[in-house]
Amino acid sequence: MERVAGLTRHHWQGRWYRGGGFYSYDGCIPVVATTLELLREHGPAGPAFWRFGREERRPLLDAIGNSRRDAALARSRQAAREEQQRRAEREAAEREAQRPVCADCGHKFTDDRLEATDFRNWQNPASHPHLCEDCQSRAVAVEQQAEADERDRQEQERLRQEQEAEAAQKAGGWLSRFRT
């Protein structure tokens, strides 16, 4: 087996991948050998297989795999996930730090309120973009009450003027009886 391994080295020998600490076998053929004695001793699922270029015998699936590369890639993926999580947390903290606060009560805007006050949201312009939802509701209620009070005052003023005009007309009609 060792002689066949030496003669076929250019077909199965991997290249050291410095960045990951493993051999890359891309473009190589995994050559695995065993003997009948090892198969009888360990069975087909036991450590009876020797992959050319390795020291120990392993079960067949482990012998043809590249466990160091798999572990290095798993570490790399985990590191990328952790970096992505840190970046997402950092961006969320930056967004939170820039989130506006209500000019009245000082509470931070909710996501819905922030979206409603977004100047690019022309379909639904906010009436009080500097206030939170609760303070806006109170401000709108106060404005509506003030408008209703103004309408009532104008209506009372109109009625008073009508009554004065009616009184003046009656008084003018009563005086006209005495003039004739």
Side-chain angles (χ1 to χ4, degrees):
M1 285 190 287
E2 289 179 12
R3 187 166 176 206
V4 172
L7 293 172
T8 60
R9 183 174 303 277
H10 61 281
H11 292 292
W12 56 261
Q13 187 173 25
R15 287 167 297 288
W16 181 250
Y17 183 71
R18 291 183 197 168
F22 60 89
Y23 281 95
S24 173
Y25 296 99
D26 293 341
C28 297
I29 301 169
V31 180
V32 179
T34 190
T35 65
L36 286 175
E37 290 82 25
L38 289 170
L39 283 173
R40 282 187 198 118
E41 181 182 341
H42 299 288
F49 298 92
W50 174 59
R51 180 171 176 171
F52 290 1
R54 295 193 180 161
E55 297 295 322
E56 66 280 346
R57 298 185 193 289
R58 297 184 178 185
L60 181 60
L61 293 179
D62 290 344
I64 62 173
N66 191 348
S67 58
R68 287 183 186 160
R69 183 191 69 174
D70 295 342
L73 293 177
R75 286 190 306 271
S76 175
R77 285 190 296 270
Q78 180 63 27
R81 282 192 297 273
E82 290 171 358
E83 176 57 30
Q84 183 179 8
Q85 178 68 24
R86 283 191 297 273
R87 189 177 332 114
E89 289 171 358
R90 190 171 48 250
E91 289 171 358
E94 289 172 2
R95 277 194 310 275
E96 195 61 30
Q98 294 175 355
R99 185 180 294 269
V101 296
C102 177
D104 192 27
C105 68
H107 286 103
K108 289 192 174 196
F109 282 18
T110 63
D111 289 340
D112 291 338
R113 182 62 182 158
L114 190 57
E115 184 177 326
T117 60
D118 189 356
F119 71 91
R120 295 169 288 193
N121 187 3
W122 296 105
Q123 296 89 0
N124 185 18
S127 61
H128 296 277
H130 59 285
L131 299 178
C132 68
E133 292 169 339
D134 293 337
C135 293
Q136 178 190 11
S137 297
R138 285 193 293 274
V140 168
V142 166
E143 288 174 357
Q144 290 172 344
Q145 184 62 44
E147 289 172 2
D149 291 347
E150 180 62 23
R151 284 193 302 273
D152 289 347
R153 189 193 62 74
Q154 289 175 353
E155 182 65 22
Q156 288 176 358
E157 179 65 24
R158 186 186 61 75
L159 289 174
R160 188 186 59 76
Q161 288 175 354
E162 285 178 4
Q163 288 174 350
E164 285 178 0
E166 197 174 288
Q169 187 178 21
K170 282 184 182 178
W174 185 74
L175 286 176
S176 61
R177 285 191 213 160
F178 289 112
R179 288 190 188 158
T180 52

